[in-house]
Amino acid sequence: MLETDNGVCSKPGAIQGDDFLNSHNLAKLWDKLRPSAEELIGEFGVRKVEVDAITRIIWQLTMIDPDGQELRYHVRTDGKPSLANHKYIDPPKFQEAMLGASAFLDGLTEYAFQQLELRREIAEEYGP
């Protein structure tokens, strides 16, 4: 996998408006979510090292697959074979990284759901 100088991708690219909604670029999507993840550092066992690790994984996936074709299809829309520029991917390490990323993102999703549910209950009980 690929690394930056400090091992972490700080800002993978500017996002204009809601452009990220129509993108398969994971770095653009993570760029929108990362500030929320960073707010949780120190809470619920979230550590900076975990946020940095997921950022690095997402950055690496984006470098391999910037438009979401390489890891989804065997042939790109331009007719070229997927992953043609990548000689080797270690499946066990790839699986381990994806399972870890999935667990972390599932936790963030659950937290966000609970926060939205709490806000809904408070609004219902006490008004807007």
Side-chain angles (χ1 to χ4, degrees):
M1 294 278 199
L2 304 170
E3 296 275 343
T4 61
D5 291 338
N6 64 359
V8 178
C9 179
S10 59
K11 274 210 163 189
I15 298 174
Q16 303 298 320
D18 291 334
D19 288 349
F20 73 98
L21 293 174
N22 298 318
S23 176
H24 289 286
N25 184 303
L26 295 177
K28 287 183 180 182
L29 297 170
W30 178 242
D31 193 41
K32 283 291 196 184
L33 182 60
R34 183 177 178 176
S36 297
E38 288 176 338
E39 286 178 17
L40 296 176
I41 293 173
E43 295 184 48
F44 312 105
V46 175
R47 298 175 299 157
K48 183 179 183 322
V49 68
E50 293 171 321
V51 175
D52 290 348
I54 194 78
T55 300
R56 187 171 46 254
I57 290 167
I58 289 170
W59 184 79
Q60 291 170 346
L61 286 171
T62 301
M63 294 302 294
I64 292 170
D65 192 4
D67 61 0
Q69 292 188 54
E70 300 293 337
L71 297 172
R72 289 191 301 157
Y73 306 116
H74 72 287
V75 176
R76 297 177 45 82
T77 55
D78 61 8
K80 295 178 183 174
S82 297
L83 300 171
N85 296 328
H86 303 282
K87 301 288 184 220
Y88 179 77
I89 293 177
D90 185 338
K93 285 189 179 189
F94 185 81
Q95 179 185 26
E96 181 181 350
M98 293 303 96
L99 288 173
S102 176
F104 183 84
L105 294 171
D106 281 346
L108 285 181
T109 302
E110 181 61 29
Y111 175 77
F113 174 78
Q114 289 175 3
Q115 291 300 304
L116 290 172
E117 188 65 17
L118 178 62
R119 288 180 189 165
R120 185 195 61 76
E121 290 173 7
I122 290 171
E124 189 176 280
E125 182 72 25
Y126 300 106

